Amino acid sequence: MAGFEDYAADTREIELEIERKGIVLGIDWADKLQVRELAREALDHSASEVRLKASESPDPTFMAKLDLFGLAAIMLKTMQESADLGIESHGGPAWKSFAKVLWAEAERRKSGG
């Protein structure tokens, strides 16, 4: 139910998992090009592609990336829900780096740019 969320705790948990997946994937959150490519891939992945790859022998790197893409969706939803309530939710460097390019890429796609 909206209004009863602990956005600060949610943000900390999401940030920690983003950092963990970033370590597995070798992500340098300060590398804008690498993070932008990751954001584009997160927005582009399709459910059918995920099911196909997941049905093969699970690759730890693929699974970490899949988890990260899910976290990206949760991160954006958390930010939107909290903003709708007048609460600014954001995490640390990994969160901010990833969120910034995810929002920018999503907006670019909406405007047809």
Side-chain angles (χ1 to χ4, degrees), residues 41-112:
E41 193 175 347
L43 294 171
D44 287 343
H45 85 278
S46 71
S48 60
E49 178 184 346
V50 168
R51 281 192 295 277
L52 176 63
K53 287 185 178 180
S55 68
E56 303 167 0
S57 72
D59 169 24
T61 302
F62 172 75
M63 297 308 291
K65 194 174 275 190
L66 183 61
D67 287 345
L68 182 61
F69 294 167
L71 288 165
I74 293 168
M75 177 179 62
L76 293 175
K77 183 171 178 64
T78 299
M79 290 171 67
Q80 185 63 55
E81 283 181 1
S82 65
D84 289 347
L85 296 171
I87 301 167
E88 184 177 321
S89 295
H90 58 80
W95 172 295
K96 289 176 184 173
S97 175
F98 200 27
K100 182 178 179 179
V101 295
L102 280 166
W103 278 118
E105 182 64 18
E107 287 300 314
R108 185 188 68 77
R109 291 174 184 211
K110 275 191 218 177
S111 68

Side-chain angles (χ1 to χ4, degrees), residues 20-55:
R20 288 177 175 158
K21 302 312 176 199
I23 290 168
V24 171
L25 297 168
I27 303 298
D28 174 1
W29 297 108
D31 182 337
K32 292 178 182 178
L33 292 176
Q34 184 183 30
V35 177
R36 185 178 303 127
E37 182 57 37
L38 187 65
R40 287 179 179 153
E41 193 175 347
L43 294 171
D44 287 343
H45 85 278
S46 71
S48 60
E49 178 184 346
V50 168
R51 281 192 295 277
L52 176 63
K53 287 185 178 180
S55 68

